[in-house]
Amino acid sequence: MTLLPLELLQASELFPFPPSYLSTGASYSSLASFLPSYEHVIELMDSCFACITCFVYPIEYAQVKEEILPLFYDSAYSPIDPSLIREADLHSLGLLFTLCSIGATGNVDEPAPTVESDLFAHLARAALGLRNIFEYGSLPAAQAFLNLGSYSLARGGFGSDLLAWTLMGFGLMIATSVSFPLASSKVVSHSFFLDWSTWVNKSNFLAILVY
C-alpha cells in the first residue's frame, strides 16, 4: 500500500492496538487528507448501503448524513481542514472510511478488491487503531468493526470469511460493553438508539457462537 504514509500504514498493520510511538497530531491530519470529495463520498455511501442491506445492517443512512458527515465536511460540503480533526472523532472517521471501502467494493464496473477499496480499508483500520478501543469503546467503533466484517466478505480472498466473523464478533463485544444514555441525543438519535439496542440484544447469541 504505497499510497499511504508510513505512519498510517503502521497504524493499519498494528490495528486494533494503538501504536504509541506515532505522532498523533500529524497522523490525524494525514488521515483527514484522504477524505474524498463530498460528491464522491455520497456516491460511495449509495453503493455501500445497496450492498450491506443484503447482509448486515448495523447502521442507518440517516446516521451517516446527519451525524457522521457533518463532523468531517463543512457547510460548503468541503472536507474540513485536516488540522481540525479531533481524537474523539477518530472512531467516527474510521466508520466513514469503512463504509467508503464497502462502497468502493460495490463498484460493479471494477472487480473486487479495487485499489480504492483497499485504501479506504487501510485508512479505517488506522483511524480505529489510533484511538484505543480497549479504553474508549464507542458506538461508531462497534459499527466500524461490524462493517469491516462485511467488507472482508465482499472483498473475498483466502481467510476472508474467518476474518469477517472475527471482526463482527469483536464489534458485537464492543457494542454490548458500551452504554448509550438516552439523554445523549446529540450523539445518537432516540429512535436509532432503540433500534440499535434491540439489534444488539438480538445478536448477543452470535458473539457466543463466534467465540
Side-chain angles (χ1 to χ4, degrees):
M1 184 57 62
T2 56
L3 294 175
L4 278 181
L6 180 59
E7 70 271 13
L8 294 187
L9 183 58
Q10 290 175 335
S12 172
E13 295 298 335
L14 290 172
F15 160 85
F17 303 101
S20 58
Y21 57 86
L22 294 183
S23 172
T24 53
S27 299
Y28 302 166
S29 296
S30 185
L31 277 169
S33 69
F34 284 92
L35 283 167
S37 68
Y38 190 82
E39 293 77 10
H40 187 41
V41 82
I42 292 299
E43 292 174 354
L44 291 169
M45 292 304 102
D46 289 341
S47 174
C48 170
F49 278 86
C51 295
I52 64 175
T53 52
C54 298
F55 181 58
V56 63
Y57 196 51
I59 187 170
E60 295 178 347
Y61 203 158
Q63 183 195 357
V64 177
K65 298 193 75 171
E66 296 171 10
E67 300 173 9
I68 304 298
L69 292 181
L71 293 174
F72 308 111
Y73 293 86
D74 60 26
S75 57
Y77 301 108
S78 298
I80 63 172
D81 187 324
S83 65
L84 299 178
I85 294 292
R86 304 178 304 158
E87 181 185 2
D89 295 330
L90 285 179
H91 289 169
S92 294
L93 183 59
L95 173 58
L96 179 59
F97 281 137
T98 299
L99 298 175
C100 285
S101 70
I102 297 174
T105 304
N107 184 351
V108 296
D109 296 325
E110 297 185 43
T114 66
V115 172
E116 185 181 43
S117 67
D118 273 355
L119 174 63
F120 283 132
H122 275 281
L123 290 167
R125 289 194 289 267
L128 292 167
L130 286 171
R131 181 167 172 79
N132 195 331
I133 59 171
F134 301 103
E135 294 183 22
Y136 306 104
S138 65
L139 171 64
Q143 292 171 308
F145 270 83
L146 290 162
N147 282 300
L148 277 174
S150 292
Y151 168 74
S152 181
L153 286 177
R155 186 187 190 282
F158 179 77
S160 61
D161 52 346
L162 177 60
L163 177 60
W165 291 118
T166 300
L167 289 166
M168 289 182 176
F170 206 100
L172 285 168
M173 298 300 287
I174 297 173
T176 54
S177 68
V178 175
S179 60
F180 310 117
L182 286 173
S184 59
S185 58
K186 291 184 179 180
V187 179
V188 185
S189 66
H190 179 79
S191 60
F192 181 74
F193 167 81
L194 295 176
D195 292 342
W196 173 259
S197 298
T198 302
W199 191 88
V200 168
N201 289 333
K202 289 182 177 179
S203 302
N204 281 341
F205 78 93
L206 182 58
I208 297 174
L209 291 177
V210 171
Y211 287 96

